[in-house]
């Protein structure tokens, strides 16, 4: 019998709860001068964001950006 159940996990899973993620953390971690974003040898300028995959439930929406629980903790500490 070839009746194995294949459990397909969503490709984008929340870093925190494992549910399907629809958002990426927008917390800016710093600026970069050059990084191989588009592939080896492709240099560009920009900002580095946390980019952790998060679902709606784990994300905290602040000022038009979505933050992961880790970054929310960092923000809270920074406000103390
Ligand atoms: Zn989640
Ligand atoms: Zn984050």
């Amino acid at each position: 019998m070839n009746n194995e159940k294949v459990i397909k996990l969503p490709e984008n899973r929340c870093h925190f709860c494992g549910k399907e993620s629809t958002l990426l953390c927008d917390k800016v971690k710093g600026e970069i001068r050059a990084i191989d974003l588009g592939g080896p040898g492709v240099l560009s300028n920009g900002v580095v964001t946390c980019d952790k995959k998060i679902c709606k439930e784990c994300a905290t929406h602040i000022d038009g950006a979505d933050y992961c629980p880790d970054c929310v903790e960092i923000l809270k500490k920074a406000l103390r």
Side-chain angles (χ1 to χ4, degrees):
M1 290 296 256
N2 202 1
N3 245 346
E4 274 174 56
K5 262 192 193 165
V6 180
I7 299 162
K8 248 198 157 187
L9 296 170
E11 225 169 85
N12 291 309
R13 281 195 298 147
C14 173
H15 188 85
F16 298 90
C17 71
K19 284 184 197 161
E20 190 177 0
S21 80
T22 51
L23 301 162
L24 292 175
C25 178
D26 291 320
K27 174 92 166 63
V28 174
K29 292 205 145 176
E31 279 180 49
I32 41 162
R33 291 264 165 80
I35 195 166
D36 295 357
L37 268 183
V42 181
L43 302 180
S44 48
N45 297 312
V47 288
V48 183
T49 52
C50 171
D51 270 359
K52 270 191 190 128
K53 288 171 181 159
I54 39 175
C55 70
K56 266 189 206 159
E57 281 149 65
C58 294
T60 305
H61 201 73
I62 308 167
D63 286 340
D66 298 297
Y67 298 98
C68 72
D70 280 355
C71 291
V72 169
E73 277 304 304
I74 293 166
L75 288 173
K76 276 187 195 162
K77 278 177 195 156
L79 286 172
R80 250 174 232 160

